[in-house]
Short mmCIF file of all heavy atoms in Angstrom, two decimals:
data_model
loop_
_atom_site.label_atom_id
_atom_site.label_comp_id
_atom_site.label_asym_id
_atom_site.label_seq_id
_atom_site.Cartn_x
_atom_site.Cartn_y
_atom_site.Cartn_z
N PRO A 1 17.79 -10.87 -12.48
CA PRO A 1 17.52 -10.29 -11.15
C PRO A 1 16.33 -9.34 -11.12
O PRO A 1 16.05 -8.71 -12.18
CB PRO A 1 18.83 -9.54 -10.91
CG PRO A 1 19.40 -9.22 -12.24
CD PRO A 1 18.97 -10.37 -13.07
N MET A 2 15.65 -9.37 -9.94
CA MET A 2 14.53 -8.33 -9.86
C MET A 2 14.75 -7.67 -8.48
O MET A 2 15.13 -8.28 -7.50
CB MET A 2 13.18 -9.17 -9.74
CG MET A 2 12.00 -8.24 -9.64
SD MET A 2 11.72 -7.02 -10.90
CE MET A 2 11.04 -8.04 -12.12
N TRP A 3 14.57 -6.34 -8.60
CA TRP A 3 14.75 -5.54 -7.37
C TRP A 3 13.46 -5.06 -6.83
O TRP A 3 12.53 -4.66 -7.52
CB TRP A 3 15.65 -4.34 -7.77
CG TRP A 3 16.07 -3.44 -6.66
CD1 TRP A 3 17.02 -3.57 -5.71
CD2 TRP A 3 15.35 -2.13 -6.36
NE1 TRP A 3 17.05 -2.45 -4.90
CE2 TRP A 3 16.08 -1.62 -5.19
CE3 TRP A 3 14.25 -1.50 -6.80
CZ2 TRP A 3 15.66 -0.40 -4.59
CZ3 TRP A 3 13.85 -0.30 -6.25
CH2 TRP A 3 14.58 0.25 -5.21
N TRP A 4 13.37 -5.00 -5.46
CA TRP A 4 12.16 -4.44 -4.67
C TRP A 4 12.54 -3.44 -3.64
O TRP A 4 13.62 -3.43 -3.15
CB TRP A 4 11.47 -5.67 -3.99
CG TRP A 4 10.66 -6.56 -4.76
CD1 TRP A 4 9.38 -6.49 -5.13
CD2 TRP A 4 11.25 -7.73 -5.33
NE1 TRP A 4 9.09 -7.59 -5.84
CE2 TRP A 4 10.17 -8.37 -6.11
CE3 TRP A 4 12.45 -8.41 -5.39
CZ2 TRP A 4 10.31 -9.56 -6.82
CZ3 TRP A 4 12.57 -9.55 -6.12
CH2 TRP A 4 11.55 -10.22 -6.80
N SER A 5 11.66 -2.62 -3.39
CA SER A 5 11.83 -1.65 -2.12
C SER A 5 10.49 -1.39 -1.59
O SER A 5 9.63 -0.83 -2.22
CB SER A 5 12.51 -0.38 -2.67
OG SER A 5 12.86 0.33 -1.55
N HIS A 6 10.29 -1.91 -0.41
CA HIS A 6 8.96 -1.84 0.26
C HIS A 6 9.10 -0.96 1.58
O HIS A 6 10.11 -1.11 2.28
CB HIS A 6 8.57 -3.15 0.83
CG HIS A 6 8.29 -4.26 -0.16
ND1 HIS A 6 7.50 -5.37 0.18
CD2 HIS A 6 8.58 -4.37 -1.42
CE1 HIS A 6 7.37 -6.13 -0.86
NE2 HIS A 6 8.04 -5.56 -1.89
N ALA A 7 8.17 -0.09 1.76
CA ALA A 7 7.96 0.47 3.14
C ALA A 7 6.93 -0.43 3.73
O ALA A 7 6.29 -1.29 3.12
CB ALA A 7 7.48 1.89 3.02
N ASP A 8 6.65 -0.31 4.99
CA ASP A 8 5.61 -1.08 5.76
C ASP A 8 4.29 -0.48 5.47
O ASP A 8 4.17 0.65 4.88
CB ASP A 8 5.94 -1.20 7.24
CG ASP A 8 5.99 0.15 7.85
OD1 ASP A 8 5.05 0.99 7.71
OD2 ASP A 8 6.95 0.30 8.54
N ALA A 9 3.25 -1.26 5.76
CA ALA A 9 1.84 -0.75 5.48
C ALA A 9 1.47 0.57 6.08
O ALA A 9 0.87 1.32 5.45
CB ALA A 9 0.82 -1.92 5.86
N ALA A 10 1.99 0.74 7.39
CA ALA A 10 1.63 2.05 8.06
C ALA A 10 2.24 3.22 7.28
O ALA A 10 1.73 4.25 7.17
CB ALA A 10 2.14 1.95 9.53
N THR A 11 3.45 3.06 6.94
CA THR A 11 4.10 4.10 6.16
C THR A 11 3.43 4.44 4.80
O THR A 11 3.22 5.52 4.39
CB THR A 11 5.59 3.69 5.95
OG1 THR A 11 6.27 3.61 7.20
CG2 THR A 11 6.30 4.79 5.10
N ASN A 12 3.04 3.30 4.08
CA ASN A 12 2.34 3.48 2.78
C ASN A 12 1.01 4.17 3.07
O ASN A 12 0.66 5.00 2.34
CB ASN A 12 2.03 2.11 2.14
CG ASN A 12 3.36 1.60 1.50
OD1 ASN A 12 4.00 2.32 0.61
ND2 ASN A 12 3.82 0.45 1.94
N ARG A 13 0.35 3.82 4.11
CA ARG A 13 -0.93 4.53 4.47
C ARG A 13 -0.65 5.93 4.64
O ARG A 13 -1.50 6.88 4.14
CB ARG A 13 -1.53 3.85 5.75
CG ARG A 13 -2.91 4.20 6.11
CD ARG A 13 -3.39 3.44 7.37
NE ARG A 13 -3.09 2.10 7.43
CZ ARG A 13 -2.27 1.53 8.31
NH1 ARG A 13 -1.58 2.17 9.06
NH2 ARG A 13 -2.03 0.10 8.15
N THR A 14 0.36 6.28 5.38
CA THR A 14 0.63 7.80 5.62
C THR A 14 1.02 8.45 4.34
O THR A 14 0.46 9.52 3.99
CB THR A 14 1.85 7.91 6.56
OG1 THR A 14 1.53 7.37 7.87
CG2 THR A 14 2.22 9.30 6.76
N TRP A 15 1.84 7.81 3.46
CA TRP A 15 2.22 8.38 2.13
C TRP A 15 0.96 8.62 1.28
O TRP A 15 0.83 9.59 0.56
CB TRP A 15 3.15 7.62 1.42
CG TRP A 15 4.59 7.49 2.04
CD1 TRP A 15 5.04 8.42 3.09
CD2 TRP A 15 5.60 6.71 1.70
NE1 TRP A 15 6.35 8.10 3.27
CE2 TRP A 15 6.68 6.95 2.54
CE3 TRP A 15 5.72 5.57 0.74
CZ2 TRP A 15 8.01 6.29 2.49
CZ3 TRP A 15 6.99 4.90 0.67
CH2 TRP A 15 8.05 5.27 1.50
N ILE A 16 0.02 7.71 1.28
CA ILE A 16 -1.20 7.74 0.32
C ILE A 16 -1.99 8.92 0.83
O ILE A 16 -2.48 9.66 0.05
CB ILE A 16 -1.92 6.44 0.38
CG1 ILE A 16 -1.09 5.37 -0.37
CG2 ILE A 16 -3.38 6.59 -0.29
CD1 ILE A 16 -1.57 3.91 -0.23
N THR A 17 -2.20 9.02 2.16
CA THR A 17 -3.10 10.14 2.66
C THR A 17 -2.34 11.49 2.47
O THR A 17 -3.06 12.42 2.12
CB THR A 17 -3.48 9.89 4.15
OG1 THR A 17 -2.28 9.77 4.93
CG2 THR A 17 -4.37 8.65 4.28
N GLN A 18 -1.08 11.57 2.71
CA GLN A 18 -0.31 12.73 2.45
C GLN A 18 -0.34 13.16 1.01
O GLN A 18 -0.17 14.40 0.68
CB GLN A 18 1.16 12.64 2.98
CG GLN A 18 1.38 12.60 4.35
CD GLN A 18 2.79 12.37 4.76
OE1 GLN A 18 3.67 11.85 4.03
NE2 GLN A 18 3.15 12.58 6.05
N ALA A 19 -0.48 12.25 0.06
CA ALA A 19 -0.62 12.51 -1.33
C ALA A 19 -1.82 13.17 -1.78
O ALA A 19 -2.09 13.68 -2.84
CB ALA A 19 -0.22 11.30 -2.14
N GLY A 20 -2.83 13.11 -0.80
CA GLY A 20 -4.20 13.71 -1.16
C GLY A 20 -5.33 12.78 -1.27
O GLY A 20 -6.34 13.07 -1.82
N PHE A 21 -5.15 11.49 -0.78
CA PHE A 21 -6.19 10.53 -0.95
C PHE A 21 -6.84 10.23 0.50
O PHE A 21 -6.19 10.44 1.51
CB PHE A 21 -5.65 9.24 -1.40
CG PHE A 21 -5.06 9.21 -2.82
CD1 PHE A 21 -3.76 9.34 -3.15
CD2 PHE A 21 -5.99 9.15 -3.86
CE1 PHE A 21 -3.25 9.39 -4.42
CE2 PHE A 21 -5.50 9.14 -5.20
CZ PHE A 21 -4.19 9.32 -5.37
N THR A 22 -7.99 9.76 0.41
CA THR A 22 -8.71 9.23 1.61
C THR A 22 -8.86 7.74 1.36
O THR A 22 -9.30 7.26 0.35
CB THR A 22 -10.13 9.84 1.70
OG1 THR A 22 -10.01 11.15 1.92
CG2 THR A 22 -10.93 9.13 2.95
N ILE A 23 -8.27 6.86 2.29
CA ILE A 23 -8.29 5.47 2.12
C ILE A 23 -9.70 4.97 2.45
O ILE A 23 -10.20 5.24 3.54
CB ILE A 23 -7.17 4.78 3.00
CG1 ILE A 23 -5.77 5.26 2.48
CG2 ILE A 23 -7.32 3.26 3.03
CD1 ILE A 23 -4.67 4.95 3.25
N GLU A 24 -10.25 4.29 1.45
CA GLU A 24 -11.57 3.66 1.67
C GLU A 24 -11.54 2.19 2.17
O GLU A 24 -12.45 1.78 2.98
CB GLU A 24 -12.38 3.70 0.33
CG GLU A 24 -12.51 5.04 -0.19
CD GLU A 24 -13.52 5.92 0.56
OE1 GLU A 24 -14.36 5.39 1.35
OE2 GLU A 24 -13.53 7.11 0.46
N SER A 25 -10.51 1.56 1.82
CA SER A 25 -10.32 0.10 2.39
C SER A 25 -8.84 -0.29 2.13
O SER A 25 -8.08 0.36 1.42
CB SER A 25 -11.26 -0.81 1.71
OG SER A 25 -10.84 -1.04 0.38
N GLU A 26 -8.54 -1.19 3.07
CA GLU A 26 -7.12 -1.69 3.03
C GLU A 26 -7.16 -3.13 3.39
O GLU A 26 -7.89 -3.58 4.35
CB GLU A 26 -6.28 -0.95 4.13
CG GLU A 26 -4.91 -1.45 4.38
CD GLU A 26 -4.28 -0.68 5.48
OE1 GLU A 26 -4.73 0.44 5.85
OE2 GLU A 26 -3.28 -1.15 6.01
N HIS A 27 -6.48 -4.09 2.69
CA HIS A 27 -6.52 -5.43 2.76
C HIS A 27 -5.08 -6.01 2.60
O HIS A 27 -4.29 -5.66 1.77
CB HIS A 27 -7.47 -6.16 1.86
CG HIS A 27 -8.83 -5.58 1.82
ND1 HIS A 27 -9.72 -6.06 2.79
CD2 HIS A 27 -9.43 -4.76 1.11
CE1 HIS A 27 -10.85 -5.44 2.58
NE2 HIS A 27 -10.69 -4.56 1.62
N PHE A 28 -4.76 -7.04 3.46
CA PHE A 28 -3.54 -7.84 3.22
C PHE A 28 -3.70 -8.74 2.19
O PHE A 28 -4.75 -9.56 2.19
CB PHE A 28 -3.18 -8.46 4.65
CG PHE A 28 -1.91 -9.34 4.46
CD1 PHE A 28 -0.71 -8.76 4.27
CD2 PHE A 28 -1.98 -10.70 4.58
CE1 PHE A 28 0.50 -9.47 4.19
CE2 PHE A 28 -0.90 -11.52 4.52
CZ PHE A 28 0.40 -10.92 4.27
N VAL A 29 -2.77 -8.98 1.37
CA VAL A 29 -2.82 -9.89 0.19
C VAL A 29 -1.68 -10.82 0.45
O VAL A 29 -0.43 -10.45 0.13
CB VAL A 29 -2.69 -9.23 -1.11
CG1 VAL A 29 -2.63 -10.21 -2.27
CG2 VAL A 29 -3.83 -8.26 -1.42
N PRO A 30 -1.88 -12.12 0.91
CA PRO A 30 -0.74 -12.98 1.17
C PRO A 30 -0.11 -13.43 -0.04
O PRO A 30 -0.69 -13.64 -1.12
CB PRO A 30 -1.50 -14.17 1.87
CG PRO A 30 -2.92 -14.04 1.59
CD PRO A 30 -3.24 -12.64 1.23
N GLU A 31 1.20 -13.68 0.10
CA GLU A 31 2.07 -14.12 -1.11
C GLU A 31 3.25 -14.82 -0.62
O GLU A 31 4.07 -14.17 0.13
CB GLU A 31 2.44 -13.06 -2.06
CG GLU A 31 3.26 -13.52 -3.17
CD GLU A 31 3.66 -12.46 -4.21
OE1 GLU A 31 3.06 -11.32 -4.12
OE2 GLU A 31 4.67 -12.70 -4.88
N GLY A 32 3.33 -16.21 -0.68
CA GLY A 32 4.44 -16.85 -0.04
C GLY A 32 4.51 -16.68 1.43
O GLY A 32 3.46 -16.88 2.10
N SER A 33 5.62 -16.47 1.87
CA SER A 33 5.85 -16.31 3.37
C SER A 33 5.58 -14.71 3.73
O SER A 33 5.69 -14.43 4.95
CB SER A 33 7.32 -16.62 3.77
OG SER A 33 8.23 -15.78 3.09
N GLY A 34 5.10 -13.95 2.83
CA GLY A 34 4.86 -12.54 3.04
C GLY A 34 3.57 -12.15 2.44
O GLY A 34 2.66 -12.80 2.46
N GLY A 35 3.70 -10.87 1.97
CA GLY A 35 2.48 -10.44 1.21
C GLY A 35 2.58 -8.89 0.93
O GLY A 35 3.64 -8.29 1.04
N HIS A 36 1.50 -8.36 0.41
CA HIS A 36 1.42 -7.05 -0.03
C HIS A 36 0.16 -6.36 0.66
O HIS A 36 -0.74 -7.06 1.18
CB HIS A 36 1.27 -6.81 -1.43
CG HIS A 36 2.58 -7.29 -2.17
ND1 HIS A 36 2.70 -8.61 -2.53
CD2 HIS A 36 3.62 -6.70 -2.50
CE1 HIS A 36 3.93 -8.75 -3.02
NE2 HIS A 36 4.51 -7.65 -3.05
N THR A 37 0.04 -5.10 0.58
CA THR A 37 -1.21 -4.42 1.16
C THR A 37 -1.91 -3.76 -0.07
O THR A 37 -1.36 -3.09 -0.91
CB THR A 37 -0.86 -3.35 2.08
OG1 THR A 37 -0.17 -3.87 3.18
CG2 THR A 37 -2.19 -2.77 2.61
N LEU A 38 -3.21 -4.09 -0.24
CA LEU A 38 -4.02 -3.59 -1.28
C LEU A 38 -4.90 -2.31 -0.69
O LEU A 38 -5.51 -2.48 0.34
CB LEU A 38 -5.05 -4.62 -1.77
CG LEU A 38 -6.05 -4.20 -2.86
CD1 LEU A 38 -5.38 -4.18 -4.18
CD2 LEU A 38 -7.17 -5.05 -2.94
N PHE A 39 -4.71 -1.19 -1.31
CA PHE A 39 -5.46 0.04 -0.89
C PHE A 39 -6.43 0.39 -2.01
O PHE A 39 -6.13 0.45 -3.18
CB PHE A 39 -4.40 1.20 -0.64
CG PHE A 39 -3.59 1.05 0.46
CD1 PHE A 39 -2.27 0.60 0.36
CD2 PHE A 39 -4.05 1.41 1.76
CE1 PHE A 39 -1.47 0.50 1.45
CE2 PHE A 39 -3.18 1.38 2.88
CZ PHE A 39 -1.90 0.87 2.69
N TRP A 40 -7.63 0.68 -1.50
CA TRP A 40 -8.65 1.48 -2.36
C TRP A 40 -8.70 2.92 -1.76
O TRP A 40 -9.05 3.07 -0.59
CB TRP A 40 -9.96 0.80 -2.28
CG TRP A 40 -10.24 -0.36 -3.14
CD1 TRP A 40 -10.17 -1.66 -2.82
CD2 TRP A 40 -10.61 -0.39 -4.51
NE1 TRP A 40 -10.49 -2.39 -3.89
CE2 TRP A 40 -10.80 -1.63 -4.94
CE3 TRP A 40 -10.80 0.74 -5.52
CZ2 TRP A 40 -11.10 -2.04 -6.23
CZ3 TRP A 40 -11.21 0.43 -6.70
CH2 TRP A 40 -11.33 -0.90 -7.21
N ALA A 41 -8.47 3.90 -2.53
CA ALA A 41 -8.48 5.23 -2.05
C ALA A 41 -9.13 6.12 -3.09
O ALA A 41 -9.33 5.74 -4.18
CB ALA A 41 -7.04 5.76 -1.84
N ARG A 42 -9.60 7.32 -2.53
CA ARG A 42 -10.23 8.33 -3.43
C ARG A 42 -9.52 9.58 -3.17
O ARG A 42 -9.15 9.97 -2.00
CB ARG A 42 -11.66 8.44 -3.03
CG ARG A 42 -12.48 7.33 -3.37
CD ARG A 42 -13.96 7.57 -3.27
NE ARG A 42 -14.33 8.18 -4.58
CZ ARG A 42 -15.59 8.01 -5.01
NH1 ARG A 42 -16.52 7.46 -4.33
NH2 ARG A 42 -15.85 8.64 -6.21
N ARG A 43 -9.37 10.42 -4.28
CA ARG A 43 -8.73 11.68 -4.21
C ARG A 43 -9.63 12.67 -3.53
O ARG A 43 -10.90 12.67 -3.77
CB ARG A 43 -8.37 12.22 -5.66
CG ARG A 43 -7.84 13.59 -5.52
CD ARG A 43 -7.32 14.04 -6.92
NE ARG A 43 -6.89 15.45 -6.70
CZ ARG A 43 -7.43 16.47 -7.40
NH1 ARG A 43 -8.37 16.26 -8.44
NH2 ARG A 43 -6.87 17.70 -7.20
#
């Protein structure tokens, strides 16, 4: 078994910026019927 826990992209964007980062780019990475969000950020 493998376990996952995802927030949506908007929530992740908020968490990343609240942690002290500036998001430089954001891209959807397709995978099967869904996908992930790839963030490039700078402290």
Side-chain angles (χ1 to χ4, degrees):
M2 180 62 76
W3 181 83
W4 288 268
S5 189
H6 294 199
D8 59 52
T11 300
N12 284 301
R13 190 178 313 110
T14 297
W15 290 349
I16 291 167
T17 57
Q18 286 176 342
F21 293 100
T22 299
I23 296 172
E24 300 290 339
S25 70
E26 174 182 343
H27 304 279
F28 177 70
V29 179
E31 182 180 337
S33 62
H36 297 87
T37 304
L38 177 78
F39 289 99
W40 277 100
R42 292 191 86 152
R43 181 174 172 234

